[in-house]
Amino acid sequence: MNLWQLQVFREVMLTGSLTKAAKNLGRTQPAISAAIANLERHVGYELFERKNSRLHPVPEAQFLLSEAEGILGRISSLERSMREGSGLGSAQVRVACMPILADFFMPRVIGQFTRQHPNTHFLMMAPSSFNIYERIAAQQFDVGLAELGWESDLVHVDKFEVNCVCALSSKDPLASRPFVTPGDLDGRPCATLLPEHVIPRRLRQIYEEAGARLNVQFELQNAASQYPLIAENIAYGIFSPLSAWIYRTTHQRPQEISFLPLRPSVVYPFAILTPMHRPMSRLSREFIALLLDEVRKLILEMDSIFNAGPVTDYRTAISIAKT
């Protein structure tokens, strides 16, 4: 399998025609047909069904298209970086951010950086945290922001730990408490993340230690899916303060949900990730320094709003970073 075959395959998939693909690529139709045939011989099966002189892609072709676009996109990025002269992508910063902070927080940081460096080109993706680790380990991105849960010798980690908060309907009598415990929530319907996530795993542990019953009635993919259930007093939830901060900052009716400290605490770890062996441009280093500073500020802001307390005191870290 080679890049030319992937280029031809992508063009045929996008145009749906050998003739149009040949025209767009500046080649003859027989040359395009030969490239597709060679690719099919290489993978071991046909990628298209031939019916009524038309090509109909098989399901496996859609997967190959997705992978081919990623490979060709990286080649294009490499060519652009080399043309710019440094070979390090000095005018581009590639960012991978966990979805919870990709819609609001990270764009705000990018905007702040761009005001100082207006010619910077950003590429940002929002895959899962595990996928971010994989991409940073593959040295594909300059920086990642992800939940902590994996280790790799190929990834440098700047770790943060914060305490989760309990989300209750503001109508709930417990909402007036300074904090809640597993005993206060014993047997009540709980909305939480999927079982393998760090938050429900830690919840099971502290409830068992307290002799309280964790009644997980709703297992949902993300915190946003839990908001309606909590606001309507159908369930309570245990959120990372990042989720709580996003809710308070962006929701139209934030007063519907109250956030209280949970005792004992559920620690939520996340990290800024950078590739261990990828040469870092000056521009990327400056962006990472800004991101570190903004994350520390965010943690202190969350502490002031929710009184949950960061596991580490980042005030000193911020002053050190500024000096």
Side-chain angles (χ1 to χ4, degrees):
M1 189 181 299
N2 57 51
L3 291 176
W4 168 242
Q5 291 170 345
L6 294 181
Q7 287 177 310
V8 171
F9 169 75
R10 180 178 66 176
E11 199 64 34
V12 171
M13 288 288 289
L14 295 178
T15 62
S17 164
L18 291 173
T19 302
K20 291 179 181 179
K23 181 179 179 180
N24 291 348
L25 293 172
R27 300 295 180 92
T28 64
Q29 183 173 329
I32 298 301
S33 298
I36 292 296
N38 288 335
L39 178 60
E40 289 177 325
R41 279 195 293 271
H42 186 82
V43 299
Y45 51 83
E46 292 186 347
L47 295 166
F48 299 92
E49 294 180 356
R50 279 75 172 172
K51 294 181 180 179
N52 300 324
S53 301
R54 294 185 60 84
L55 298 179
H56 301 274
V58 301
E60 291 83 358
Q62 299 296 336
F63 170 76
L64 180 58
L65 175 62
S66 175
E67 294 297 309
E69 286 184 327
I71 293 169
L72 295 172
R74 289 195 291 275
I75 292 294
S76 176
S77 175
L78 175 60
E79 290 175 343
R80 183 171 58 250
S81 296
M82 296 304 294
R83 283 195 300 268
E84 289 167 356
S86 70
L88 299 178
S90 60
Q92 183 183 62
V93 179
R94 298 172 61 87
V95 181
C97 181
M98 56 183 172
I100 188 175
L101 294 180
D103 290 337
F104 184 75
F105 174 75
M106 187 63 79
R108 189 178 71 173
V109 178
I110 289 173
Q112 182 177 341
F113 187 82
T114 304
R115 283 192 290 273
Q116 301 172 357
H117 304 276
N119 295 323
T120 308
H121 174 79
F122 276 93
L123 184 150
M124 187 183 83
M125 296 184 64
S128 67
S129 289
F130 177 72
N131 193 249
I132 292 173
Y133 267 82
E134 287 188 322
R135 290 173 180 261
I136 294 291
Q139 319 295 296
Q140 295 175 359
F141 284 81
D142 297 300
V143 60
L145 185 57
E147 293 181 347
L148 194 61
W150 303 271
E151 294 183 1
S152 171
D153 293 337
L154 300 173
V155 178
H156 174 78
V157 173
D158 284 294
K159 180 180 179 181
F160 303 93
E161 291 182 322
V162 289
N163 291 320
C164 290
V165 291
C166 178
L168 294 162
S169 168
S170 297
K171 306 170 187 175
D172 194 303
L174 291 177
S176 60
R177 298 274 191 92
F179 62 88
V180 293
T181 68
D184 298 324
L185 304 167
D186 184 18
R188 293 181 51 166
C190 177
T192 188
L193 300 171
L194 300 181
E196 64 273 13
H197 193 273
V198 62
I199 292 178
R201 285 193 283 114
R202 173 62 177 154
L203 279 177
R204 291 192 291 269
Q205 178 183 351
I206 67 169
Y207 273 66
E208 183 178 349
E209 292 172 352
R213 184 168 72 93
L214 177 62
N215 178 19
V216 177
Q217 187 171 346
F218 307 97
E219 295 176 302
L220 305 173
Q221 181 72 39
N222 53 54
S225 303
Q226 303 173 35
Y227 297 155
L229 297 170
I230 297 167
E232 293 297 323
N233 208 15
I234 296 172
Y236 72 91
I238 305 297
F239 287 174
S240 78
L242 300 180
S243 299
W245 181 79
I246 291 292
Y247 176 85
R248 288 286 298 270
T249 305
T250 64
H251 204 271
Q252 291 183 342
R253 296 185 297 276
Q255 70 279 1
E256 291 182 338
I257 294 179
S258 297
F259 297 96
L260 283 69
L262 178 67
R263 301 287 185 265
S265 62
V266 171
V267 174
Y268 177 81
F270 66 105
I272 293 176
L273 313 174
T274 49
M276 191 70 77
H277 303 297
R278 174 175 176 161
M280 197 68 66
S281 69
R282 176 189 57 81
L283 205 66
S284 296
R285 290 196 298 270
E286 288 188 21
F287 177 76
I288 292 165
L290 174 64
L291 180 60
L292 279 164
D293 199 34
E294 290 302 308
V295 168
R296 291 165 181 143
K297 289 178 182 177
L298 173 61
I299 291 173
L300 297 181
E301 182 182 346
M302 292 188 300
D303 182 30
S304 67
I305 295 173
F306 306 118
N307 195 31
V311 177
T312 303
D313 186 355
Y314 291 102
R315 293 176 181 83
T316 302
I318 289 175
S319 64
I320 291 173
K322 289 183 176 180
T323 57

